[in-house]
Amino acid sequence: MIYPLSGLVIGALLGAFRAKRRGGTAKDIAQWAAVFAILFGLIGLFVLIFVQRSIVQG
């Protein structure tokens, strides 16, 4: 369960940092933070599924 949550947090921070560095407004920063949070959360979800399946199979 920790992989999707950490993916959400890391993605939101990375997206906000990227938008702020490019000179975005508050709405731009919020949008990029949300997009990156969703993307990294999905990646974390797939990692969680892979880890769970490898533990059950092993």
Side-chain angles (χ1 to χ4, degrees), residues 3 43-57:
Y3 296 115
I43 292 170
L45 181 65
F46 286 120
V47 169
L48 176 68
I49 291 170
F50 176 76
V51 168
Q52 288 290 335
R53 286 186 177 222
S54 66
I55 289 173
V56 171
Q57 295 292 332

Side-chain angles (χ1 to χ4, degrees), residues 6-53:
S6 61
L8 284 172
V9 172
I10 292 170
L13 292 174
L14 186 64
F17 177 72
R18 180 177 174 161
K20 188 172 178 102
R21 188 178 63 190
R22 291 182 177 227
T25 64
K27 290 181 181 180
D28 292 331
I29 294 171
Q31 181 179 3
W32 278 99
V35 168
F36 271 66
I38 291 169
L39 180 67
F40 279 57
L42 281 174
I43 292 170
L45 181 65
F46 286 120
V47 169
L48 176 68
I49 291 170
F50 176 76
V51 168
Q52 288 290 335
R53 286 186 177 222

